[in-house]
Amino acid sequence: MMGLKMYDINLYGDFIKGRNSEPFIKFAIYGGPDRYCHVFLSQGESFGDSNGDMVKVSLRERFDELYKFLFIAQQHKFENMYGITIGDVKFTTRWKDKIMRVMTFMEAMNNLNVKF
């Protein structure tokens, strides 16, 4: 998020307001599904071709679902109130709280106008 904010403040604004998931998705899928994305699969699912009993799922759609939970659902407090499960990972509201703390910290640092 810090890199995105330095790169393009408008893109960062859209990103944290839940209007543009593309930076999150590009970062998350960089390097392909073999990197660490296997945790976003449930048993019987694959990011590759579906064969036999394996069901093909979209890595992009999984990360878009996570982005929506983290950055859009926070605006609708009672939607997914306790969290969501994507593959084998459960994301609770604690994840959202931590992200909001990081964003608040970044804003506070930005407001200090510290020159290096």
Side-chain angles (χ1 to χ4, degrees):
M1 288 184 348
M2 290 173 29
L4 182 60
K5 187 172 184 178
M6 289 187 288
Y7 174 72
D8 185 331
I9 191 71
N10 295 320
L11 189 59
Y12 169 80
D14 287 345
F15 173 76
I16 64 169
K17 291 176 183 166
R19 293 186 288 217
N20 187 355
S21 65
E22 198 59 30
F24 179 72
I25 293 170
K26 282 183 178 180
F27 176 77
I29 64 176
Y30 179 78
D34 295 333
R35 192 164 145 221
Y36 55 81
C37 301
H38 63 278
V39 297
F40 290 95
L41 294 170
S42 295
Q43 187 173 3
E45 294 179 332
S46 168
F47 291 123
D49 294 329
S50 59
N51 56 12
D53 294 334
M54 300 298 279
V55 175
K56 182 179 179 180
V57 295
S58 167
L59 181 59
R60 176 176 276 279
E61 288 176 9
R62 293 285 165 104
F63 278 108
D64 192 51
E65 185 179 358
L66 177 58
Y67 173 80
K68 287 175 182 172
F69 172 71
L70 295 173
F71 292 97
I72 297 173
Q74 68 192 12
Q75 299 163 8
H76 309 289
K77 291 186 179 186
F78 299 106
E79 184 179 322
N80 296 323
M81 192 167 135
Y82 299 107
I84 60 170
T85 301
I86 301 174
D88 287 338
V89 182
K90 176 153 179 101
F91 295 93
T92 65
T93 54
R94 291 183 68 208
W95 284 79
K96 291 176 14 177
D97 294 341
K98 287 180 183 186
I99 288 172
M100 294 310 295
R101 278 191 247 134
V102 167
M103 290 171 29
T104 301
F105 174 74
M106 287 175 52
E107 289 301 318
M109 293 301 289
N110 188 43
N111 293 334
L112 290 176
N113 292 322
V114 176
K115 304 280 190 238
F116 293 99

